[in-house]
Amino acid sequence: METFAPSSSSLSTRRALGPGHSLPVNSWSGGGSVSVLGFARKNLAFPSLSRRPRHANGVARASVVVEKETQEARTAFLVIGTRGSPLALAQAYETRDKLKASHPELAEEGAIEIKIIKTTGDKILSQPLADIGGKGLFTKEIDEALINGDIDIAVHSMKDVPTYLPDKTILPCNLQREDVRDAFISTSAGSLAKLPAGSIVGTASLRRKSQILNRYPSLQVQENFRGNVQTRLKKLSEGVVQATLLALAGLKRLNMTENVTSILSIDDMLPAVAQGAIGIACRSDNEKMANYLATLNHEETRLAVSCERAFLETLDGSCRTPIAGYASKDEDGNCIFRGLVASPDGTRVLETSRKGPYTYEDMVLMGKDAGKELLSRAGPGFFDS
């Protein structure tokens, strides 16, 4: 083990001080607050340079001090930041496992740590997201931890990520997308169409609410049906609502597909922008993490998500705006994009579609163009109903 080595000047200082006095820290030849091993010092006293007994200041031998300091300072090589819900943790574990499989040095025990960060969106469940600041409240505290260096990468559900990333962060990686469709779950009916008139469907999503009411105006929708998957299923079992809709992707990642009553087609329920996609962010100045994430990126997913987010950004969508968008690759390798905006009460739904090359530039242009078209068709006051 490497130990501290005194300089000749510090040795003479010790001798000049005489018995009963320890060497001042700032006279140590290494200087500063970083030890020989590269770990931060914790106001350590330095060892006696003679064989005199230890004095009242409790000076320990250098090798013992350094060993203890090394053990205390040792941390994970990579820290993943995530929300604490079962689904968020499942996504963090998936990211961790992919990193371990791709990089042997990260497969060592303790190399990766998962850090749970509670967000404002998780803390306040009694109000609609739109009333407390929008969906960015599921990422704000995690982004702050990333910028401050408390975590190295942040794992998000992409549909929770605002279209503008915080300064000093980048999002270079999307994992391969899961099934984008919505699942219908009910204890009394096999589908939305089979629910009796007046039945209550629980959802916190204006996108789902508007499409449900547009197709099935005899149904009622309980808004602010918030909470994690387990909480919503519990409310359903207690009879608070007669049915609910959940992202099939989340149920698959939680191995809870046995709860699915039926799956809605894309034609019946256009998904949320970036639904089923996981995004992983890092600091813009952290080249090592960016390189790690580049090896996990699924380019087809990244391009599809970029197209959909360009559509959302053009519409300046928020949690008060029912918006849906989905980009996919057809059998010929082209991009097919479908977009939708609706009035919150579902009385008006506007749809459009685009087809073009499956390349980043073309797909972003398609998303923007589709957004501009729907903005023009919607006109002023469309979202006020």
Side-chain angles (χ1 to χ4, degrees), residues 222-240:
Q222 179 182 317
E223 297 183 53
N224 200 38
F225 194 73
R226 293 184 56 206
N228 60 37
V229 171
Q230 290 78 0
T231 298
R232 298 187 203 192
L233 292 179
K234 184 173 184 291
K235 290 180 181 179
L236 174 64
S237 68
E238 292 171 346
V240 175

Side-chain angles (χ1 to χ4, degrees), residues 92-106:
Y93 295 147
E94 180 178 344
T95 301
R96 178 199 62 189
D97 293 346
K98 288 181 181 296
L99 284 168
K100 286 185 173 183
S102 302
H103 303 281
E105 70 273 22
L106 298 180

Side-chain angles (χ1 to χ4, degrees), residues 157-233:
S157 292
M158 276 305 300
K159 69 177 182 178
D160 291 337
V161 178
T163 52
Y164 293 97
L165 297 177
D167 288 340
K168 301 180 182 178
T169 70
I170 55 173
L171 207 159
C173 174
N174 290 123
L175 301 186
Q176 185 169 1
R177 198 174 201 172
E178 249 295 357
D179 198 313
V180 302
R181 295 175 294 173
D182 282 308
F184 173 80
I185 304 174
S186 176
T187 57
S188 59
S191 66
L192 282 168
K194 294 179 181 178
L195 282 171
S199 296
I200 302 173
V201 182
T203 180
S205 164
L206 282 181
R207 170 190 66 87
R208 290 177 178 135
K209 174 190 173 183
S210 61
Q211 292 185 77
I212 291 170
L213 294 179
N214 179 259
R215 290 178 174 272
Y216 308 101
S218 66
L219 299 178
Q220 300 180 51
V221 174
Q222 179 182 317
E223 297 183 53
N224 200 38
F225 194 73
R226 293 184 56 206
N228 60 37
V229 171
Q230 290 78 0
T231 298
R232 298 187 203 192
L233 292 179

